[in-house]
Amino acid sequence: GNSVTQMEGPVTLSEEAFLTINCTYTATGYPSLFWYVQYPGEGLQLLLKATKADDKGSNKGFEATYRKETTSFHLEKGSVQVSDSAVYFCALSDQGNRDDKIIFGKGTRLHILP
Amino acid sequence: EAQVTQNPRYLITVTGKKLTVTCSQNMNHEYMSWYRQDPGLGLRQIYYSMNVEVTDKGDVPEGYKVSRKEKRNFPLILESPSPNQTSLYFCASKNGGDYNEQFFGPGTRLTVL
């Protein structure tokens, strides 16, 4: 079945450091891939997405490239800020799913120190 | 403003006392879903609905009920809550299609004593 695996946290970095959060997936079809972010006390919100192989999603300085050959969608940011502290979820949606379901990874908590 | 609203945001109740958490969206979305979020387990889908009068079980449906009488509303019902249902609950909605993002409500923190 379909699944998403992302690196366990928490991840703690200093401000302006480079960020990578790894995400790999298993899918039977041709999934769309997403990164969602959850700020403290809030619901999840879409950060970026990619709908086909080699697409790059980007938003707020974050990027992720859909790599079909490695079944990965790693999240990167060149210089993190304290305000990036949040929980990040990798997710996929597979058009082969009858139920139109989005499958989430378990989330990675990110702490940015000033 | 396009949004998903949930009520209440916080609830403390006792075992066995029926409760309903409401969810409403103003984006005319077909698809709605309920999740629970627990430490170390991430988000788990409870129930989903692909359209009015169409609901189906997610990964952890036991102890929950839902209904979808109108497109905008998708209440979550706990007929006889138990302490293992203490959790953070999120309602979400989206248009059909695998490339569409889900919009999440702000969450309901439920404690069952």
Short mmCIF file of all heavy atoms in Angstrom, two decimals, chain A residues 10-42:
data_model
loop_
_atom_site.label_atom_id
_atom_site.label_comp_id
_atom_site.label_asym_id
_atom_site.label_seq_id
_atom_site.Cartn_x
_atom_site.Cartn_y
_atom_site.Cartn_z
N PRO A 10 12.91 15.54 17.31
CA PRO A 10 12.98 16.91 16.81
C PRO A 10 14.31 17.23 16.15
O PRO A 10 15.31 16.61 16.43
CB PRO A 10 12.78 17.74 18.08
CG PRO A 10 13.28 16.87 19.18
CD PRO A 10 12.99 15.46 18.77
N VAL A 11 14.24 18.17 15.24
CA VAL A 11 15.42 18.71 14.60
C VAL A 11 15.66 20.10 15.19
O VAL A 11 14.75 20.92 15.18
CB VAL A 11 15.24 18.80 13.08
CG1 VAL A 11 16.42 19.52 12.44
CG2 VAL A 11 15.04 17.42 12.47
N THR A 12 16.85 20.32 15.70
CA THR A 12 17.19 21.61 16.30
C THR A 12 18.34 22.22 15.52
O THR A 12 19.38 21.58 15.35
CB THR A 12 17.58 21.45 17.78
OG1 THR A 12 16.49 20.84 18.49
CG2 THR A 12 17.87 22.81 18.40
N LEU A 13 18.13 23.45 15.07
CA LEU A 13 19.14 24.18 14.29
C LEU A 13 19.27 25.60 14.81
O LEU A 13 18.33 26.13 15.41
CB LEU A 13 18.75 24.22 12.81
CG LEU A 13 18.67 22.90 12.06
CD1 LEU A 13 18.06 23.13 10.67
CD2 LEU A 13 20.04 22.27 11.94
N SER A 14 20.38 26.20 14.49
CA SER A 14 20.55 27.63 14.78
C SER A 14 20.01 28.45 13.62
O SER A 14 19.95 27.98 12.47
CB SER A 14 22.03 27.95 15.00
OG SER A 14 22.53 27.25 16.12
N GLU A 15 19.61 29.65 13.94
CA GLU A 15 19.11 30.55 12.89
C GLU A 15 20.15 30.68 11.78
O GLU A 15 21.35 30.70 12.04
CB GLU A 15 18.80 31.91 13.50
CG GLU A 15 17.81 32.73 12.72
CD GLU A 15 17.26 33.90 13.53
OE1 GLU A 15 17.93 34.34 14.49
OE2 GLU A 15 16.15 34.36 13.22
N GLU A 16 19.68 30.75 10.55
CA GLU A 16 20.49 30.87 9.32
C GLU A 16 21.15 29.56 8.90
O GLU A 16 21.86 29.54 7.89
CB GLU A 16 21.53 31.98 9.44
CG GLU A 16 20.91 33.36 9.68
CD GLU A 16 21.93 34.48 9.72
OE1 GLU A 16 23.12 34.20 9.52
OE2 GLU A 16 21.53 35.63 9.95
N ALA A 17 20.92 28.49 9.60
CA ALA A 17 21.47 27.20 9.18
C ALA A 17 20.68 26.67 7.98
O ALA A 17 19.57 27.11 7.69
CB ALA A 17 21.40 26.20 10.33
N PHE A 18 21.30 25.67 7.31
CA PHE A 18 20.64 24.99 6.19
C PHE A 18 19.81 23.84 6.72
O PHE A 18 20.23 23.09 7.59
CB PHE A 18 21.71 24.45 5.22
CG PHE A 18 21.13 23.83 3.99
CD1 PHE A 18 20.84 24.60 2.88
CD2 PHE A 18 20.87 22.46 3.93
CE1 PHE A 18 20.30 24.04 1.72
CE2 PHE A 18 20.33 21.89 2.78
CZ PHE A 18 20.04 22.67 1.69
N LEU A 19 18.60 23.72 6.16
CA LEU A 19 17.67 22.70 6.63
C LEU A 19 17.41 21.66 5.56
O LEU A 19 17.18 22.00 4.39
CB LEU A 19 16.33 23.34 7.00
CG LEU A 19 15.16 22.39 7.25
CD1 LEU A 19 15.36 21.62 8.55
CD2 LEU A 19 13.83 23.13 7.26
N THR A 20 17.45 20.40 5.96
CA THR A 20 16.91 19.31 5.14
C THR A 20 16.07 18.42 6.02
O THR A 20 16.52 18.00 7.09
CB THR A 20 18.03 18.45 4.51
OG1 THR A 20 18.85 19.26 3.69
CG2 THR A 20 17.42 17.33 3.67
N ILE A 21 14.85 18.15 5.59
CA ILE A 21 14.00 17.14 6.23
C ILE A 21 13.70 16.09 5.17
O ILE A 21 13.10 16.38 4.14
CB ILE A 21 12.69 17.73 6.78
CG1 ILE A 21 12.98 18.81 7.82
CG2 ILE A 21 11.85 16.62 7.41
CD1 ILE A 21 11.74 19.48 8.39
N ASN A 22 14.14 14.88 5.45
CA ASN A 22 14.00 13.82 4.46
C ASN A 22 12.60 13.23 4.45
O ASN A 22 11.97 13.06 5.50
CB ASN A 22 15.01 12.70 4.74
CG ASN A 22 16.42 13.12 4.44
OD1 ASN A 22 16.66 14.05 3.66
ND2 ASN A 22 17.38 12.47 5.07
N CYS A 23 12.14 12.89 3.25
CA CYS A 23 10.85 12.24 3.07
C CYS A 23 10.96 11.26 1.91
O CYS A 23 11.42 11.63 0.82
CB CYS A 23 9.76 13.26 2.78
SG CYS A 23 8.17 12.54 2.30
N THR A 24 10.57 10.02 2.13
CA THR A 24 10.47 9.05 1.06
C THR A 24 9.07 8.46 1.06
O THR A 24 8.37 8.50 2.07
CB THR A 24 11.50 7.92 1.21
OG1 THR A 24 11.30 7.30 2.48
CG2 THR A 24 12.92 8.43 1.10
N TYR A 25 8.68 7.93 -0.09
CA TYR A 25 7.30 7.46 -0.20
C TYR A 25 7.26 6.13 -0.93
O TYR A 25 8.19 5.74 -1.65
CB TYR A 25 6.44 8.49 -0.93
CG TYR A 25 6.80 8.67 -2.39
CD1 TYR A 25 6.22 7.89 -3.39
CD2 TYR A 25 7.74 9.62 -2.78
CE1 TYR A 25 6.56 8.03 -4.71
CE2 TYR A 25 8.10 9.78 -4.11
CZ TYR A 25 7.51 8.99 -5.06
OH TYR A 25 7.86 9.13 -6.39
N THR A 26 6.15 5.45 -0.74
CA THR A 26 5.81 4.25 -1.50
C THR A 26 4.42 4.46 -2.06
O THR A 26 3.50 4.84 -1.32
CB THR A 26 5.80 3.00 -0.59
OG1 THR A 26 7.07 2.86 0.03
CG2 THR A 26 5.49 1.75 -1.39
N ALA A 27 4.28 4.27 -3.36
CA ALA A 27 2.97 4.48 -3.98
C ALA A 27 2.80 3.52 -5.14
O ALA A 27 3.76 3.22 -5.85
CB ALA A 27 2.80 5.92 -4.45
N THR A 28 1.59 3.08 -5.35
CA THR A 28 1.31 2.16 -6.44
C THR A 28 1.08 2.88 -7.76
O THR A 28 1.25 2.32 -8.81
CB THR A 28 0.09 1.30 -6.12
OG1 THR A 28 -1.00 2.18 -5.79
CG2 THR A 28 0.36 0.40 -4.93
N GLY A 29 0.68 4.14 -7.70
CA GLY A 29 0.36 4.89 -8.91
C GLY A 29 1.33 6.03 -9.12
O GLY A 29 2.54 5.90 -8.95
N TYR A 30 0.77 7.19 -9.49
CA TYR A 30 1.57 8.38 -9.76
C TYR A 30 1.10 9.49 -8.83
O TYR A 30 0.25 10.30 -9.19
CB TYR A 30 1.39 8.79 -11.22
CG TYR A 30 1.77 7.68 -12.17
CD1 TYR A 30 0.81 6.80 -12.66
CD2 TYR A 30 3.09 7.50 -12.54
CE1 TYR A 30 1.17 5.76 -13.50
CE2 TYR A 30 3.45 6.46 -13.39
CZ TYR A 30 2.49 5.59 -13.86
OH TYR A 30 2.83 4.57 -14.69
N PRO A 31 1.66 9.53 -7.63
CA PRO A 31 1.11 10.42 -6.61
C PRO A 31 1.48 11.88 -6.82
O PRO A 31 2.47 12.20 -7.47
CB PRO A 31 1.75 9.90 -5.32
CG PRO A 31 3.06 9.34 -5.76
CD PRO A 31 2.79 8.74 -7.12
N SER A 32 0.67 12.74 -6.24
CA SER A 32 1.06 14.11 -5.98
C SER A 32 1.67 14.14 -4.58
O SER A 32 1.25 13.39 -3.69
CB SER A 32 -0.16 15.05 -6.03
OG SER A 32 -0.69 15.09 -7.33
N LEU A 33 2.65 15.01 -4.39
CA LEU A 33 3.36 15.08 -3.12
C LEU A 33 3.23 16.47 -2.51
O LEU A 33 3.20 17.48 -3.24
CB LEU A 33 4.85 14.74 -3.33
CG LEU A 33 5.11 13.35 -3.91
CD1 LEU A 33 6.60 13.19 -4.23
CD2 LEU A 33 4.65 12.26 -2.96
N PHE A 34 3.17 16.50 -1.19
CA PHE A 34 2.91 17.75 -0.48
C PHE A 34 3.82 17.85 0.76
O PHE A 34 4.20 16.84 1.33
CB PHE A 34 1.46 17.80 0.03
CG PHE A 34 0.41 17.57 -1.01
CD1 PHE A 34 0.03 16.28 -1.36
CD2 PHE A 34 -0.22 18.63 -1.63
CE1 PHE A 34 -0.95 16.05 -2.32
CE2 PHE A 34 -1.20 18.42 -2.58
CZ PHE A 34 -1.57 17.13 -2.92
N TRP A 35 4.09 19.07 1.14
CA TRP A 35 4.58 19.37 2.48
C TRP A 35 3.58 20.32 3.14
O TRP A 35 3.21 21.36 2.57
CB TRP A 35 5.96 20.03 2.45
CG TRP A 35 7.08 19.05 2.34
CD1 TRP A 35 7.78 18.72 1.22
CD2 TRP A 35 7.65 18.27 3.40
NE1 TRP A 35 8.74 17.78 1.51
CE2 TRP A 35 8.69 17.49 2.85
CE3 TRP A 35 7.39 18.16 4.78
CZ2 TRP A 35 9.46 16.61 3.61
CZ3 TRP A 35 8.15 17.29 5.53
CH2 TRP A 35 9.17 16.53 4.95
N TYR A 36 3.15 19.90 4.33
CA TYR A 36 2.29 20.75 5.15
C TYR A 36 3.09 21.20 6.38
O TYR A 36 3.97 20.49 6.86
CB TYR A 36 1.05 19.98 5.63
CG TYR A 36 -0.01 19.79 4.58
CD1 TYR A 36 0.09 18.79 3.63
CD2 TYR A 36 -1.13 20.62 4.55
CE1 TYR A 36 -0.90 18.62 2.67
CE2 TYR A 36 -2.13 20.46 3.60
CZ TYR A 36 -2.00 19.45 2.67
OH TYR A 36 -2.98 19.28 1.71
N VAL A 37 2.71 22.36 6.91
CA VAL A 37 3.36 22.88 8.11
C VAL A 37 2.29 23.16 9.17
O VAL A 37 1.19 23.62 8.84
CB VAL A 37 4.19 24.15 7.80
CG1 VAL A 37 3.34 25.26 7.20
CG2 VAL A 37 4.92 24.64 9.04
N GLN A 38 2.63 22.85 10.41
CA GLN A 38 1.72 23.11 11.53
C GLN A 38 2.45 23.99 12.54
O GLN A 38 3.35 23.53 13.24
CB GLN A 38 1.28 21.80 12.17
CG GLN A 38 0.27 21.98 13.30
CD GLN A 38 -0.11 20.67 13.95
OE1 GLN A 38 0.66 19.70 13.96
NE2 GLN A 38 -1.31 20.61 14.51
N TYR A 39 2.04 25.24 12.62
CA TYR A 39 2.60 26.14 13.62
C TYR A 39 1.92 25.89 14.96
O TYR A 39 0.80 25.37 15.01
CB TYR A 39 2.43 27.59 13.18
CG TYR A 39 3.17 27.91 11.91
CD1 TYR A 39 2.50 28.08 10.71
CD2 TYR A 39 4.56 28.01 11.90
CE1 TYR A 39 3.17 28.35 9.53
CE2 TYR A 39 5.24 28.28 10.72
CZ TYR A 39 4.55 28.44 9.55
OH TYR A 39 5.23 28.69 8.38
N PRO A 40 2.57 26.24 16.04
CA PRO A 40 2.02 25.94 17.37
C PRO A 40 0.59 26.44 17.54
O PRO A 40 0.28 27.59 17.26
CB PRO A 40 2.99 26.68 18.31
CG PRO A 40 4.28 26.73 17.56
CD PRO A 40 3.90 26.88 16.11
N GLY A 41 -0.27 25.53 17.99
CA GLY A 41 -1.66 25.88 18.28
C GLY A 41 -2.54 26.03 17.07
O GLY A 41 -3.68 26.50 17.18
N GLU A 42 -2.05 25.64 15.90
CA GLU A 42 -2.83 25.82 14.68
C GLU A 42 -3.04 24.51 13.94
O GLU A 42 -2.41 23.49 14.25
CB GLU A 42 -2.14 26.82 13.75
CG GLU A 42 -1.99 28.20 14.35
CD GLU A 42 -1.35 29.17 13.37
OE1 GLU A 42 -1.22 28.84 12.17
OE2 GLU A 42 -0.97 30.27 13.82
#
